[in-house]
Amino acid sequence: MFKNQPKGLIPAALSNMGERFGYYIMNAVLVLFLCSKFGLKEETSAIIYSCFYCGIYVLSLVGGIIADRTQNYKGTIISGLCIMTIGYIVLAIPIFATAENHVWLLTLTCAALFLIAFGNGLFKGNLQAIVGQLYDNPRYASQRDSGFQIFYVFINIGGLIAPFVAPMLRSWWLGENGLIYNASLPALCHEYLSVTDSMDTQNLNNLYALITEVGGNAAGNISEFCSTYLNVFNTGIHYSFFASVAAMLLSLTIFISTKKQLPSPAKKEKSESVQYSAEEKARMAKEIKQRMYALFAVLGIAIFFWFSFHQNGTSLSLFARDFVKTSSIQPEIWQALNPFFVIVLTPVVMWLFGRLSRRGKEISTPRKIAIGMGLAGLAYIFLAVFSLIEGYPSAEEFKALPAAVSEAWKTGPWVLFVLYFFLTVAELFISPLGLSFVSKVAPKHLQGLCQGLWLGATAVGNLLLWVGPLIYNACPIWVAWTVFLSVCLVSMGVMFSMVNWLERVTE
């Protein structure tokens, strides 16, 4: 697999893996952390998460422009790593949130998230551009696809390990303070501290039961216990952000020590002007228009895919916390299923495509994208039907039930295995193939712009992520999954209806 690859690939992949490891530590816990830290409603946390995730892709365009104009790609990458490190350092400081410091502390947290998003924008696309430059050498040109597959696998290795870090450190710190982890307790603690005597009777009973369960004294000072538990609970998460800082510094060290092995993308030489006849210009303009129409059609599909797929950080994380038994495995850890399946299934999908191609039954890229939307739909039809059969109410109603009732009603982890299996296969049909489609259909003089539009479509999809938690808390949860199912099925139908046209455009 590594044979005949340029020597700069592995250092670049390791540098990227370190950055992704640090990023996914934070990303795996972000929505739940904002809830447990500040007592925010899940819908509010999801809005912050959506804006952050959108900002990463929007700021990647800014990072690309900065590198292009300065022609200092390596310096831009180093700056990005440094800025991200500062953001993680701010997040790592364990300040207890109180009514007095709530506003400025939340503002500081959002500022830290902006630094991480901006640093990511300086780093992400520009490192990929440098990796692409490695294969401009004719000696390695034939290895481009396999090189990017290796690069992608390293990303997912970082993503596979990262979700374990924060839960491990949080549980360790709780244990050091004689306490036990419970996913439902922080929200009840925040409710008690904010309303105290007017707290709902059932929620109060649940709070007393959980205090005893985690090692506290329900007959003692409840306010003091709630403050202590929240402080210890969130301090453990803050410590995990120090692991993100260490990962950034490791990534920075690897990149600086090996940057001489990496090329510096050069400014494109000015091409000689060519004279075209009026007929040739009209034909070229028509072709470019058709290609751009095709591109925007696929970008529309991409928006709805990312809107559905990236629920793994919002409503699907909340589902793992609220409706899945988490006594042995904490909810954030389930996000490791996606990179695990990517690593395991990528060779299988590549083998399948290769086998079909050798048999003369190659599936076109537009058709693969349509199939991918159908596979994403299968993930949500499974979850919707399962939730309907179980009779699950809205998350708000479920959390208000007696603790013993809700615990007995929770499902086993197998549901998440099935869900993420289908979502990951869908990702492998859409994400890398969408980039391939963009490179095929984009006019040669608009390649950079069109790749930027793909990032923009991803950003728009991410900006809509807050919709999931909103429906999840307001309606029986099968309704939320049905919304995503409908989006996937409609997108699949639209894509299939355009397949013949898109295949002609890309010929």
Side-chain angles (χ1 to χ4, degrees):
M1 183 169 67
F2 298 103
K3 188 177 180 181
N4 299 324
Q5 296 290 345
K7 66 179 182 178
L9 174 64
I10 299 304
L14 287 171
S15 181
N16 196 59
M17 184 178 77
E19 184 276 331
R20 289 289 84 186
F21 173 72
Y23 169 79
Y24 281 119
I25 289 174
M26 180 273 302
N27 190 61
V29 301
L30 182 55
V31 168
L32 302 182
F33 168 69
L34 291 171
C35 292
S36 64
K37 174 77 175 177
F38 298 102
L40 299 179
K41 290 185 177 181
E42 288 154 7
E43 297 88 340
T44 305
S45 295
I47 290 173
I48 295 173
Y49 179 88
S50 298
C51 293
F52 168 68
Y53 222 148
C54 173
I56 285 174
Y57 288 91
V58 171
L59 292 170
S60 291
L61 298 177
V62 177
I65 292 170
I66 291 173
D68 284 341
R69 289 188 175 179
T70 62
Q71 288 295 296
N72 184 9
Y73 288 80
K74 294 178 182 177
T76 304
I77 289 170
I78 292 171
S79 297
L81 288 168
C82 292
I83 291 171
M84 280 189 282
T85 301
I86 294 171
Y88 286 121
I89 289 174
V90 174
L91 285 183
I93 301 171
I95 302 174
F96 181 59
T98 64
E100 290 74 25
N101 67 11
H102 185 278
V103 173
W104 72 259
L105 187 56
L106 181 57
T107 302
L108 181 65
T109 300
C110 291
L113 292 175
F114 173 78
L115 290 176
I116 293 168
F118 182 52
N120 197 283
L122 296 176
F123 175 87
K124 186 181 179 71
N126 292 316
L127 183 63
Q128 292 174 357
I130 284 180
V131 172
Q133 288 280 314
L134 290 170
Y135 295 92
D136 286 348
N137 185 331
R139 178 182 174 187
Y140 304 113
S142 63
Q143 301 297 320
R144 182 183 294 269
D145 286 350
S146 61
F148 271 98
Q149 287 160 2
I150 292 170
F151 191 73
Y152 193 62
V153 166
F154 272 79
I155 290 173
N156 282 280
I157 291 173
L160 175 63
I161 300 170
F164 292 87
V165 174
M168 180 185 68
L169 290 175
R170 179 179 57 203
S171 293
W172 164 76
W173 189 241
L174 283 166
E176 288 292 306
N177 288 270
L179 298 168
I180 299 172
Y181 168 80
N182 184 279
S184 303
L185 189 50
L188 292 172
C189 288
H190 276 293
E191 183 180 353
Y192 184 86
L193 291 174
S194 62
V195 300
T196 312
D197 295 333
S198 59
M199 188 173 181
D200 177 82
T201 303
Q202 185 57 65
N203 286 350
L204 190 60
N205 290 335
N206 288 342
L207 176 62
Y208 290 152
L210 291 180
I211 287 174
T212 302
E213 182 180 314
V214 301
N217 180 12
N221 188 321
I222 303 300
S223 293
E224 183 179 341
F225 174 85
C226 287
S227 296
T228 300
Y229 190 82
L230 288 172
N231 190 20
V232 174
F233 187 97
N234 290 301
T235 297
I237 301 177
H238 281 292
Y239 289 160
S240 71
F241 298 141
F242 281 113
S244 293
V245 173
M248 291 302 110
L249 294 176
L250 178 61
S251 182
L252 181 63
T253 301
I254 292 171
F255 185 81
I256 291 176
S257 62
T258 61
K259 66 178 182 177
K260 291 183 179 179
Q261 300 177 29
L262 300 171
S264 296
K267 188 178 292 185
K268 294 181 179 179
E269 296 180 3
K270 189 176 181 180
S271 58
E272 296 181 9
S273 60
V274 180
Q275 298 297 321
Y276 296 102
S277 66
E279 182 180 346
E280 288 173 326
K281 288 180 179 179
R283 188 168 61 250
M284 291 168 61
K286 182 179 180 181
E287 180 183 350
I288 290 173
K289 188 180 294 185
Q290 285 292 314
R291 286 175 171 268
M292 294 305 292
Y293 284 156
L295 175 64
F296 278 104
V298 173
L299 291 179
I301 301 298
I303 288 173
F304 292 114
F305 171 71
W306 293 119
F307 165 60
S308 303
F309 179 79
H310 279 153
Q311 291 298 319
N312 60 349
T314 54
S315 60
L316 293 179
S317 279
L318 298 174
F319 175 77
R321 182 197 66 186
D322 298 333
F323 289 90
V324 178
K325 296 182 188 297
T326 58
S327 56
S328 57
I329 300 179
Q330 297 175 31
E332 297 89 346
I333 292 177
W334 294 114
Q335 290 198 41
L337 284 175
N338 175 238
F340 168 75
F341 279 132
V342 166
I343 294 169
V344 172
L345 295 176
T346 294
V348 177
V349 172
M350 290 175 59
W351 172 84
L352 175 62
F353 290 160
R355 183 177 176 82
L356 291 172
S357 180
R358 288 191 295 272
R359 290 188 170 190
K361 299 179 181 179
E362 184 172 359
I363 305 173
S364 68
T365 301
R367 197 172 295 274
K368 289 174 183 175
I369 293 174
I371 293 171
M373 291 305 301
L375 291 168
L378 283 178
Y380 282 109
I381 195 171
F382 159 74
L383 198 54
V385 170
F386 174 81
S387 299
L388 188 59
I389 291 173
E390 288 291 320
Y392 285 144
S394 70
E396 286 291 339
E397 293 177 26
F398 187 81
K399 287 181 288 187
L401 294 171
V405 174
S406 61
E407 188 64 30
W409 203 357
K410 290 182 179 181
T411 185
W414 67 272
V415 173
L416 296 175
F417 277 90
V418 176
L419 171 71
Y420 280 109
F421 173 83
F422 283 111
L423 281 179
T424 303
V425 177
E427 177 191 7
L428 295 176
F429 270 71
I430 294 176
S431 183
L433 297 176
L435 289 172
S436 174
F437 179 83
V438 172
S439 66
K440 288 178 184 177
V441 78
K444 290 184 178 180
H445 65 293
L446 297 175
Q447 283 283 342
L449 173 63
C450 292
Q451 291 291 345
L453 289 172
W454 174 265
L455 293 175
T458 308
V460 173
N462 291 338
L463 193 59
L464 299 172
L465 294 177
W466 58 271
V467 173
L470 184 67
I471 304 172
Y472 170 85
N473 279 312
C475 305
I477 60 171
W478 67 266
V479 175
W481 315 139
T482 302
V483 169
F484 300 123
L485 165 64
S486 302
V487 166
C488 292
L489 293 183
V490 170
S491 298
M492 179 187 69
V494 171
M495 194 68 188
F496 270 125
S497 71
M498 300 188 299
V499 160
N500 292 334
W501 167 56
L502 292 171
E503 288 174 343
R504 287 196 303 271
V505 171
T506 54
E507 286 178 353

